[in-house]
Amino acid sequence: MPDWSQIGSLLDFCAAYYTTQLVRCTIFSFVLIGLVLLLRKIIFSEQTFLRGLLWSLFLLVPFLGRLKLFYENEAVLKMTWRVTHATMTCLWADRIYMAGIFVAAICIFEKRLCLRKSVARMEKVSLDNIVFSVTDMNVTPFTVGLLKPKIVVPEIMLECYSRDELKSVIQHERTHIRLGHLWFGLAWDILRCLLWVNPFLTIFQKKFRADLEDICDRVCIQKSGRSAHEYGLILLKTLKLLRSGTEGTPPAVNYAGERGFEDMKRRMGKIAGFRPYRKRMCAGMAAAAALVIAAMLLAVHTNSYARCSEDEGILVYEYADGEGTVISNNDSSIQQMISFDDSYVYVDSEAFEDFCVKNNADGDVFIVFGGFHKLPGFFCGGESCLYETGSDAGVAQISYQRQISDWMAVLYKIL
């Protein structure tokens, strides 16, 4: 039978540990989303590819919770210590945060799952050896799936579009797939789940997807050999043909349609202003952006606490009159008197008792050792034993019972 008390303690520890980190990440996300919106509005408003690359900075956010600056930078410590203290001590708040992630994940990914099931039942059609699904719903073309993406086209387009126009529509969806936009959308949705207390990640999701759409339009125009005017006419025909646009399609998987006149006006303006771009330059910018993100992730890793750090220190405290008092914490002299293995603690009796006398330790003396740190304040797996004075042996051998099992210790370490 599993030890349910240990499992409960593990779950509570996880809630506090991850809530502490994710709340810090949320703070960063508020700052970053303001910075990205400012840069794309002022500096990169006419730079389609660079404007889209700005959003890749959010890949850093989930990894910022263990930064050392939260403990070692005095200014940051003053600003965040109240939040850190709350997440470490208010277990009910931690549980609410974890429940919020669960609810957000259900709300966001249930739509994806339902849509995939619906697409699986649709009729399949082939055009130039490209297989796509056909729906009788009045929706704009979209793509669903990650490993095996499926393109969906409304039946009315098959009836009203020429073969070349259909090829342009399908090329648009295939470009989204080739550029990895479906994966970017998934990453954004995961971020929305983890940092659900930041509503701006949902509010400004539209701008994120609009930038991906602008990139896709530019790539499609240049690759198709059509003029921007011809490409724009196909887009307008889609809007006129489908009227209500994307009412039936979850925004998480929809890229081809727009929800309002202002959106379409913005997009048509970008298409009308199309200028050919250099493929090598754009590939170079993407590679440079990837290197910058990798370097930043390495810097974050270097300046963050390890996932698990063994605690080599030994703490001695006295318990008397209902109160505990620390006598020594990781003192080098104590480590010369005390050692331990998986079953016993070994104490140099004469030296240790002299130490206790010098520190006026008249009550029960406990020795705490072992364990590991996840973050400062998150200590796991520590062991303890009671030292009884008056030992006749030169080296007292004290047995102890481990607080957590080996498999539980492994779970704590890999969290």
Side-chain angles (χ1 to χ4, degrees), residues 354-391:
D354 287 343
F355 171 83
C356 292
V357 170
K358 290 179 181 178
N359 287 275
N360 300 316
D362 298 325
D364 293 331
V365 177
F366 289 87
I367 301 172
V368 181
F369 55 94
F372 47 90
H373 287 283
K374 301 290 289 183
L375 283 174
F378 286 94
F379 179 74
C380 318
E383 313 293 350
S384 65
C385 67
L386 171 65
Y387 178 81
E388 296 181 358
T389 60
S391 174

Side-chain angles (χ1 to χ4, degrees), residues 222-381:
Q222 180 145 321
K223 188 176 181 180
S224 68
R226 293 175 178 268
S227 67
H229 176 73
E230 292 173 317
Y231 185 86
L233 288 178
I234 295 176
L235 190 63
L236 286 174
K237 184 175 181 179
T238 301
L239 182 68
K240 181 179 179 180
L241 186 67
L242 300 177
R243 296 188 200 88
S244 60
T246 61
E247 291 299 325
T249 306
V253 295
N254 178 41
Y255 288 102
E258 301 290 344
R259 289 183 176 274
F261 174 76
E262 289 300 324
D263 292 327
M264 182 59 70
K265 180 180 178 181
R266 177 204 58 78
R267 190 174 171 193
M268 291 303 296
K270 295 293 183 183
I271 293 173
F274 172 79
R275 295 292 183 273
Y277 59 88
R278 297 179 182 178
K279 293 182 180 179
R280 290 185 178 180
M281 181 179 294
C282 291
M285 286 192 300
L291 288 175
V292 169
I293 295 298
M296 295 176 74
L297 284 172
L298 179 60
V300 168
H301 176 74
T302 303
N303 292 280
S304 297
Y305 288 100
R307 185 175 295 276
C308 177
S309 300
E310 297 292 339
D311 191 337
E312 302 295 338
I314 297 175
L315 181 145
V316 178
Y317 75 94
E318 175 194 12
Y319 187 80
D321 299 328
E323 294 184 0
T325 305
V326 175
I327 301 174
S328 175
N329 187 5
N330 200 24
D331 190 321
S332 59
S333 63
I334 287 294
Q335 295 192 8
Q336 295 175 6
M337 305 176 200
I338 302 173
S339 61
F340 57 89
D341 57 24
D342 291 339
S343 301
Y344 297 95
V345 177
Y346 306 94
V347 183
D348 183 334
S349 301
E350 183 178 353
F352 186 67
E353 290 188 16
D354 287 343
F355 171 83
C356 292
V357 170
K358 290 179 181 178
N359 287 275
N360 300 316
D362 298 325
D364 293 331
V365 177
F366 289 87
I367 301 172
V368 181
F369 55 94
F372 47 90
H373 287 283
K374 301 290 289 183
L375 283 174
F378 286 94
F379 179 74
C380 318

Side-chain angles (χ1 to χ4, degrees), residues 157-158 160-167 226 237:
M157 280 190 171
L158 295 180
C160 301
Y161 273 39
S162 67
R163 187 181 184 87
D164 286 343
E165 289 173 334
L166 275 176
K167 288 174 66 175
R226 293 175 178 268
K237 184 175 181 179

Side-chain angles (χ1 to χ4, degrees), residues 34-48:
L35 177 63
V36 168
L37 293 174
L38 183 65
L39 290 176
R40 70 187 292 279
K41 180 74 173 180
I42 297 176
I43 300 177
F44 300 117
S45 59
E46 302 300 325
Q47 305 294 325
T48 302

Side-chain angles (χ1 to χ4, degrees), residues 45-78:
S45 59
E46 302 300 325
Q47 305 294 325
T48 302
F49 292 103
L50 291 175
R51 196 172 63 246
L53 288 173
L54 280 174
W55 298 99
S56 63
L57 292 172
F58 282 92
L59 293 173
L60 298 170
V61 172
F63 304 98
L64 301 177
R66 297 204 310 269
L67 283 173
K68 294 179 181 178
L69 64 83
F70 286 108
Y71 301 93
E72 300 176 8
N73 184 285
E74 186 175 350
V76 175
L77 183 61
K78 287 182 178 179

Side-chain angles (χ1 to χ4, degrees), residues 3-14:
D3 188 338
W4 294 109
S5 63
Q6 286 196 15
I7 293 175
S9 297
L10 174 65
L11 294 176
D12 289 341
F13 180 88
C14 288

